[in-house]
């Protein structure tokens, strides 16, 4: 597993700077005025810094962007990276400056000079997020990262500010690892084992096995997994950092470790991407990890439904009718609309057992949300304007795109069937909304609830500001912030 690079903070030390190997990053204000520390570094480098700042290239950089000086005189480092960061930088600009540094981090390590700069911890968060790589299966590159030392005016202060952020970065990287893992490695059992490991962090973790799910009547979830050799599981993670015995907030995730479509099989082209169909469960797991690592003062329960959707002699067929834990019958007209079947039972179980104060589910639920919103925004569906508003606000603050989508009883017409209480798809029109309406049927009216369709954002097609190409970890930061704002405040 790839934990984020560890960032340590230290006072400015010119001797260490002279002999530092690898890369040095200097954070500098846009107008090129050098502070006392930067002036000494400039002198050490025989004026190379001030010369660069007079050049055109520096002038063109936006806040958070950088310029490399190769083989500079006066220091042992191979590269000195000049990073533009305004005195009144926003959180996003500070993180982007860190991301520019983190992206360049190699094995030789990194020394960052942040003296006189604002938002040092946020900058370090950018380093932690963007230096992530997933190199588990690359024989050549083992992905080892050197150490990162940030030289700051008040290292203790920066370190204290950074500690809870490091917990969140760890959660983000945990989610990315889960989403990046192939399905032959991340089976339902392997996934569950990785969550059980988190008991060490103080989380209570239980694994419900097929016999338990059978007893609970989770036939909708079990139907999805019945064509797979991997046993279906529900994992319950409880973080009890709030008032004793107070009802928790619930996060629920779709954890389809691979989605072939089942008997309604998907086309071959692009099917390999369906290793990410556990993305919702990945986010829930990453958030629970962050909450535990930073010892959040809140009661939160995370539940994930882990299944594999495979075609097989035992697999569910189109036309099968299953009874959900709630008791409602479902006609499975398309075995590829499996996520909602899994969530229906886990959502119901979460409410019956925990009587949560509110509930958010995350899922790579529909291709239709990519048609609607592309890879820029997750789709947010809700029965509660206050909760939806809080989710959008938290996502915005963390720079994670999210957009509210409509719901309404008129859409229910599309998922009616003569054979059962409901069918699992309404065809192409409003495909993401009918999926949300389906889920809503399994949410009690009095529970504030939000469904977030992350099919477009969990595995973006290109690198982003804070992640290399591959899993983004979208939502871990937003939901961690939501917990802070809504439950810890
Ligand atoms: N896991 C997919 C949705 C998906 C598509 C996620 C692309 C990420 C990228 C989901 O289970 C699915 O297959 N949905 C179907 C629903 C349809 C059969 C009603 C879809 O979107 O095509
Ligand atoms: Mn599917
Ligand atoms: Zn799916």
């Amino acid at each position: 597993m790839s934990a984020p690079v560890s960032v340590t903070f230290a006072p400015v030390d010119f001797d260490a700077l002279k002999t530092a190997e690898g890369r040095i990053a200097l954070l500098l204000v846009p107008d090129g005025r050098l502070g006392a520390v930067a002036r000494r570094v400039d002198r050490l480098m025989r004026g190379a810094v001030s010369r660069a700042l007079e050049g055109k290239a520096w002038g063109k950089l936006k806040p958070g962007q950088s310029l490399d000086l190769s083989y500079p005189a006066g220091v042992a480092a191979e590269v000195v990276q000049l990073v533009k960061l305004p005195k009144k930088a926003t959180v996003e600009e500070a993180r982007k400056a860190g991301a520019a540094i983190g992206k360049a981090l190699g094995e030789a390590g990194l020394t960052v000079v942040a003296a006189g700069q604002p938002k040092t911890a946020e900058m370090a968060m950018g380093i932690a997020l963007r230096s992530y790589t997933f190199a588990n299966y690359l024989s050549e590159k083992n992905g080892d990262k050197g150490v990162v030392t940030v030289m700051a005016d008040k290292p203790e202060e920066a370190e204290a500010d950074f500690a809870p952020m490091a917990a969140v970065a760890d959660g983000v990287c945990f989610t990315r690892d889960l989403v990046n893992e192939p399905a032959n490695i991340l089976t339902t059992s392997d996934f569950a084992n990785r969550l059980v490991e988190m008991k060490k962090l103080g989380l209570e973790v239980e694994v419900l096995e097929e016999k338990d799910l059978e007893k609970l009547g989770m036939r909708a979830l079990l139907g999805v997994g019945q064509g797979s050799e991997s046993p279906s599981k529900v994992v319950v993670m409880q973080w009890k950092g709030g008032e004793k015995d107070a009802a928790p907030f619930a996060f629920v995730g779709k954890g389809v470790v691979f989605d072939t479509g089942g008997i309604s099989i998907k086309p071959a082209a692009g099917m390999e991407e369906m290793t990410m169909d556990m993305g919702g469960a990945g986010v829930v797991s990453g958030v629970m990890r962050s909450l535990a690592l930073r010892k959040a003062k809140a009661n939160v329960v995370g539940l994930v439904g882990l299944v594999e959707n495979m075609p097989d002699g035992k697999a569910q067929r189109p036309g099968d009718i299953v009874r959900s834990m709630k008791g409602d019958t479902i006609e499975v007209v398309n075995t590829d609309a499996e996520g909602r079947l899994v969530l229906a039972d886990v959502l119901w179980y979460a409410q019956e057992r925990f009587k949560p104060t509110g509930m958010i589910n995350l899922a790579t639920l529909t291709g239709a949300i990519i048609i609607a919103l592309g890879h820029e925004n997750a789709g947010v569906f809700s029965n509660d304007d206050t909760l939806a508003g809080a989710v959008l606000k938290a996502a915005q603050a963390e720079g994670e795109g999210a957009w509210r989508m409509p719901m309404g009883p008129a859409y229910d017409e599309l998922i009616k069937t003569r054979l059962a209480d409901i069918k699992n798809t309404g065809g192409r029109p409003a495909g993401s909304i009918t999926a949300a309406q389906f889920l809503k049927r399994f949410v009690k009216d009095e529970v504030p609830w939000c469904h977030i369709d992350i099919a477009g954002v969990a595995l973006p097609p290109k690198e982003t500001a804070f992640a290399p190409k591959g899993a983004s970890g979208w939502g871990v930061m937003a939901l961690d912030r939501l917990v802070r704002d809504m439950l810890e405040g």
Side-chain angles (χ1 to χ4, degrees):
M1 301 287 287
S2 40
V5 64
S6 84
V7 181
T8 55
F9 296 86
V12 180
D13 174 344
F14 287 96
D15 291 326
L17 204 59
K18 253 183 259 177
T19 56
E21 288 182 10
R23 189 173 263 267
I24 295 174
L26 288 180
L27 292 164
L28 299 162
V29 293
D31 67 6
R33 244 181 305 155
L34 302 179
V37 170
R39 248 197 327 269
R40 273 188 69 180
V41 178
D42 187 37
R43 233 175 293 145
L44 193 67
M45 290 174 57
R46 322 227 166 101
V49 177
S50 46
R51 276 197 301 282
L53 297 195
E54 282 156 20
K56 266 207 187 118
W58 176 260
K60 283 188 188 150
L61 296 181
K62 294 198 192 85
Q65 293 184 327
S66 71
L67 184 70
D68 275 2
L69 303 181
S70 297
Y71 303 104
V75 289
E78 280 170 37
V79 181
V80 172
Q81 185 179 5
L82 307 180
V83 189
K84 196 182 259 190
L85 184 63
K87 272 270 182 277
K88 285 189 184 137
T90 62
V91 169
E92 202 192 348
E93 285 167 347
R95 278 189 189 168
K96 280 199 174 143
I101 299 168
K103 184 178 173 179
L105 175 62
E107 286 174 38
L110 177 68
T111 310
V112 184
V113 182
Q117 286 291 336
K119 300 198 168 64
T120 303
E122 282 81 2
M123 187 277 305
M125 178 66 166
I127 296 179
L129 290 171
R130 189 57 184 83
S131 59
Y132 172 87
T133 52
F134 185 74
N136 289 5
Y137 308 106
L138 298 181
S139 311
E140 290 289 305
K141 254 195 345 206
N142 62 16
D144 280 350
K145 295 282 171 149
V147 283
V148 176
T149 309
V150 175
M151 294 183 176
D153 296 325
K154 294 177 185 156
E156 295 85 9
E157 210 172 278
E159 186 157 8
D161 289 348
F162 181 60
M165 297 181 199
V168 178
D170 194 303
V172 171
C173 293
F174 187 70
T175 301
R176 289 176 182 173
D177 276 350
L178 290 168
V179 172
N180 282 327
E181 285 285 9
N184 60 324
I185 303 294
L186 192 80
T187 59
T188 55
S189 301
D190 182 69
F191 197 149
N193 289 342
R194 293 185 191 206
L195 301 185
V196 169
E197 278 285 301
M198 294 207 292
K199 280 185 183 176
K200 284 183 200 145
L201 306 178
L203 284 163
E204 285 177 26
V205 185
E206 291 158 66
V207 182
L208 308 184
E209 304 290 350
E210 279 183 351
K211 60 177 190 328
D212 307 311
L213 305 179
E214 207 63 81
K215 256 185 240 152
L216 287 162
M218 292 200 195
R219 286 301 320 160
L221 181 149
L222 286 165
V224 175
Q226 76 191 27
S228 170
E229 293 291 322
S230 293
S232 299
K233 293 169 195 278
V234 170
V235 181
V236 182
M237 295 163 270
Q238 294 187 71
W239 175 251
K240 296 177 175 170
E243 256 173 69
K244 196 172 179 299
D245 299 328
F249 193 89
F251 291 131
V252 174
K254 167 182 172 181
V256 177
V257 293
F258 195 76
D259 181 13
T260 63
I263 297 299
S264 313
I265 198 161
K266 286 182 182 295
M271 200 200 275
E272 71 280 5
E273 285 202 349
M274 285 303 124
T275 55
M276 55 77 104
D277 210 19
M278 33 51 66
V283 174
V284 170
S285 305
V287 175
M288 296 310 294
R289 185 179 184 87
S290 300
L291 297 177
L293 283 170
R294 69 174 182 80
K295 302 204 173 359
K297 291 189 169 49
N299 294 335
V300 181
V301 58
L303 303 102
V304 293
L306 306 179
V307 303
E308 186 180 37
N309 189 18
M310 295 289 267
D312 177 77
K314 293 203 200 72
Q316 169 158 270
R317 292 155 289 254
D320 282 5
I321 295 175
V322 294
R323 187 179 294 279
S324 65
M325 180 184 172
K326 179 187 173 193
D328 290 358
T329 55
I330 304 164
E331 185 190 358
V332 181
V333 294
N334 188 324
T335 64
D336 197 12
E338 84 295 341
R340 63 201 77 182
L341 300 170
V342 173
L343 288 172
D345 278 340
V346 185
L347 287 168
W348 195 256
Y349 176 73
Q351 294 165 94
E352 290 286 272
R353 177 166 168 196
F354 294 105
K355 311 271 178 296
T357 56
M359 183 162 67
I360 294 176
N361 74 257
L362 296 106
T364 49
L365 203 62
T366 66
I369 202 70
I370 308 176
I371 303 302
L373 300 174
H375 303 282
E376 307 305 324
N377 288 288
V380 176
F381 302 82
S382 185
N383 64 357
D384 186 280
D385 291 345
T386 308
L387 180 62
V391 167
L392 294 173
K393 187 169 163 242
Q396 160 100 37
E398 293 297 330
E400 295 181 319
W403 197 262
R404 179 112 182 240
M405 298 285 289
M407 296 190 70
Y411 295 100
D412 287 333
E413 297 304 315
L414 296 169
I415 44 176
K416 282 193 173 151
T417 161
R418 72 187 166 88
L419 292 167
D421 298 332
I422 191 171
K423 61 179 173 177
N424 76 330
T425 118
R428 285 165 58 90
S432 301
I433 306 176
T434 52
Q437 293 294 136
F438 181 99
L439 296 181
K440 185 175 181 288
R441 192 181 176 99
F442 299 90
V443 176
K444 298 178 184 183
D445 285 334
E446 68 272 18
V447 179
W449 156 79
C450 200
H451 151 54
I452 310 182
D453 194 334
I454 60 170
V457 294
L459 188 73
K462 292 197 294 269
E463 71 166 321
T464 62
F466 298 108
K469 183 173 160 57
S472 63
W474 187 100
V476 174
M477 295 193 293
L479 295 183
D480 178 81
R481 176 178 282 265
L482 183 79
V483 169
R484 242 181 304 144
D485 291 352
M486 204 171 64
L487 307 174
E488 296 180 270

